[in-house]
Amino acid sequence: MEKRRTVPVKLDVDSDDAALLEDTIDEFLWAADYVTRHAFEGEYVTTSKTTLHDETYEVVREETSLHSNHVQAARNKAAEGCKSVVEKWKQGKKASMPNFTSPHLVYDHRTATFHDDYVSLATVDGRIEADYVLPDEDRGTPHAEYFFSDEYETTGAELHYSNGNWMLHIHTKTDVEPDTSAQDTTENSTVLGVDLGVNNLAVASTGTFWTGDEFDHWRREYEKRRGDLQEHGTRWAHENMQAVGRKEEGRFKIMLHRISNELVAEARDYECSVIAFEDLTDIRDRTGASWGHKWAFNRLYEYVEYKAAEYGIEVEQVDPENTSRRCSHCGFTHPNKRHDEAFECLKCDYENHADYNAAKNIGLRYLRRNQTGSGGGVPVGVRLNSGTLNANGEYDPPAEDSARAGVHAESPRL
């Protein structure tokens, strides 16, 4: 199976090269917006990448100095945004024409060449070279384990600019055999399950909640600001929309860094060797999340991944099927999808917060996926705020509570 990792690398970019990258980003965002506007011009919104390519490629090439692969990447981003809007309409939800303001640029192997110490990046006026700014340690970092590893293949990258920093999020992948034992990584340790969602950005199996109130407040605020500017349709408005996008991304990155730090600290406090998330591939369809939420989920995962690696903690994704419908107490899977934050099992009457129940199920899913056969499993568990759940979903109290193991009250911490 395929294992993918994203490694954020800071770049050392001089002022002249920075100006070229900024110009390239401006044209990339203009191209994505142009394709999007074209997609909305007809009676129906066009979401086909092939159709949008045929109808916009030549115009974008004439109007910009972008590399052909950057033009295609901008078209793909526009098509994905349009498809998201159409999907929301089908679900009876409100959605407006997307616009792209966050300063970023998509690179592939034709537009970026990765070297040992630096990267060569295509711009609107030739290529520039930027040195990597790497940590002093040469072991145990995501850079050493994934980017500079012979076992991983570099597949592309996204360039981001925020708060004066140029960050290249390098995508890597490798083919691995399915892990049937995980003897080396989970022995005598525990797993922290993490559920991601809209109302609560993250919930840990230890009962700690990170609410989405602040994120939602500022997402609506910035969306309103962009909407007001978009009505003007002027070059000035477009530039200000980009400025709003930069402020939005900067604010959210600070927020996500804080949450990721606290998640890693939670894992360290409870001596967890693994942090398990649900697979993020189709999370928007499962949770009804916006593109902004999906971006936040991916960034949070990336931040946790490289920060946890500093402490030898692995970060993995598991199949999310039924984690919201399954009772973490008795294992009964409910036939209907839950619609609120309360989970009540129809079989054993177990009650708790639905996101907390899902976080425990995510941890259990990782646990069962990596346990050996009968009698051969290593002593691992899903970490709760008191004690653990074993692979059978049975509660194991902490050592000091063993005398009263028959009594256990879970108390998620909001």
Side-chain angles (χ1 to χ4, degrees):
M1 67 179 189
E2 231 175 48
K3 184 177 181 180
R4 294 178 177 269
R5 292 291 183 267
T6 298
V7 183
V9 177
K10 186 176 180 180
L11 300 182
D12 183 9
V13 181
D14 65 34
S15 58
D16 290 339
D17 290 343
L20 282 175
L21 289 176
E22 289 172 2
D23 289 344
T24 308
I25 287 176
D26 284 346
E27 296 206 358
F28 178 82
L29 297 178
W30 179 89
D33 281 334
Y34 172 82
V35 176
T36 301
R37 291 194 300 272
H38 179 84
F40 271 74
E41 283 178 355
E43 183 178 356
Y44 302 100
V45 176
T46 304
T47 60
S48 167
K49 292 179 182 179
T50 302
T51 302
L52 290 174
H53 174 86
D54 293 342
E55 296 177 354
T56 65
Y57 179 80
E58 293 299 332
V59 174
V60 175
R61 286 286 279 167
E62 290 177 3
E63 294 294 327
T64 70
S65 301
L66 291 172
H67 188 284
S68 60
N69 285 61
H70 279 155
V71 174
Q72 294 173 35
R75 175 210 64 211
N76 291 345
K77 186 165 286 291
E80 291 166 2
C82 294
K83 184 177 180 181
S84 172
V85 170
V86 172
E87 288 176 352
K88 285 184 178 179
W89 288 347
K90 289 179 179 178
Q91 297 168 11
K93 299 178 181 179
K94 292 183 179 180
S96 56
M97 184 177 71
N99 56 77
F100 304 94
T101 57
S102 175
H104 72 285
L105 189 57
V106 178
Y107 280 94
D108 59 18
H109 277 294
R110 294 199 176 192
T111 49
T113 305
F114 303 92
H115 300 276
D116 290 341
D117 302 315
Y118 68 95
V119 64
S120 171
L121 301 173
T123 72
V124 290
D125 188 15
R127 283 181 170 257
I128 64 106
E129 294 179 354
D131 291 336
Y132 305 132
V133 180
L134 300 172
D136 294 333
E137 300 87 352
D138 59 358
R139 290 183 180 181
T141 65
H143 313 84
E145 291 187 22
Y146 309 125
F147 181 37
F148 295 119
S149 171
D150 292 336
E151 297 179 4
Y152 281 79
E153 171 193 356
T154 301
T155 59
E158 277 195 16
L159 180 69
H160 293 262
Y161 182 73
S162 178
N163 299 323
N165 294 317
W166 292 96
M167 297 295 298
L168 193 64
H169 293 258
I170 302 173
H171 306 311
T172 66
K173 71 174 184 178
T174 188
D175 291 323
V176 297
E177 293 295 327
D179 189 357
T180 58
S181 66
Q183 183 84 15
D184 294 333
T185 60
T186 57
E187 187 171 1
N188 297 313
S189 60
T190 51
V191 180
L192 183 72
V194 180
D195 179 64
L196 302 177
V198 176
N199 294 330
N200 296 297
L201 285 181
V203 178
S205 58
T206 50
T208 301
F209 285 61
W210 288 269
T211 70
D213 294 345
E214 183 182 359
F215 180 88
D216 287 338
H217 166 76
W218 285 108
R219 186 174 62 87
R220 290 191 296 268
E221 178 66 24
Y222 285 119
E223 188 174 302
K224 181 178 181 300
R225 294 179 189 179
R226 285 194 299 271
D228 292 342
L229 289 168
Q230 192 173 23
E231 291 181 358
H232 293 283
T234 63
R235 178 73 178 179
W236 170 87
H238 177 72
E239 292 174 352
N240 276 272
M241 284 169 61
Q242 292 186 23
V244 169
R246 287 191 289 270
K247 290 180 181 178
E248 179 181 27
E249 184 175 12
R251 178 184 291 275
F252 288 159
K253 281 186 174 180
I254 292 173
M255 185 188 309
L256 295 171
H257 273 298
R258 173 179 56 79
I259 295 174
S260 64
N261 287 334
E262 293 174 359
L263 262 171
V264 173
E266 188 89 351
R268 294 183 66 202
D269 289 345
Y270 285 97
E271 300 180 347
C272 298
S273 66
V274 178
I275 302 175
F277 288 81
E278 60 188 304
D279 191 309
L280 303 181
T281 304
D282 298 314
I283 194 168
R284 291 188 64 246
D285 295 333
R286 297 194 305 273
T287 65
S290 65
W291 273 103
H293 281 98
K294 187 178 187 302
W295 173 88
F297 298 153
N298 286 325
R299 287 291 175 269
L300 180 60
Y301 180 84
E302 291 172 6
Y303 293 163
V304 170
E305 186 177 42
Y306 81 79
K307 291 177 182 181
E310 298 178 12
Y311 303 100
I313 301 172
E314 292 194 2
V315 181
E316 300 289 345
Q317 296 185 22
V318 301
D319 185 352
E321 185 178 7
N322 292 329
T323 52
S324 293
R325 298 193 297 161
R326 181 185 182 278
C327 175
S328 61
H329 186 69
C330 74
F332 177 70
T333 299
H334 290 243
N336 299 319
K337 188 176 181 180
R338 55 106 168 174
H339 298 289
D340 53 34
E341 295 187 344
F343 181 90
E344 181 177 358
C345 182
L346 301 178
K347 183 177 181 180
C348 72
D349 296 327
Y350 169 78
E351 296 183 22
N352 219 312
H353 194 287
D355 295 340
Y356 177 55
N357 178 71
K360 292 195 294 178
N361 280 326
I362 289 168
L364 285 168
R365 180 66 54 81
Y366 175 85
L367 197 64
R368 289 167 178 145
R369 186 187 74 182
N370 292 280
Q371 282 279 35
T372 57
S374 177
V378 293
V380 296
V382 177
R383 203 63 172 90
L384 308 178
N385 61 348
S386 176
T388 60
L389 290 178
N390 63 28
N392 297 320
E394 299 167 342
Y395 172 66
D396 292 329
E400 61 270 22
D401 292 342
S402 58
R404 47 192 174 87
V407 179
H408 172 58
E410 296 177 284
S411 53
R413 293 171 287 145
L414 294 170

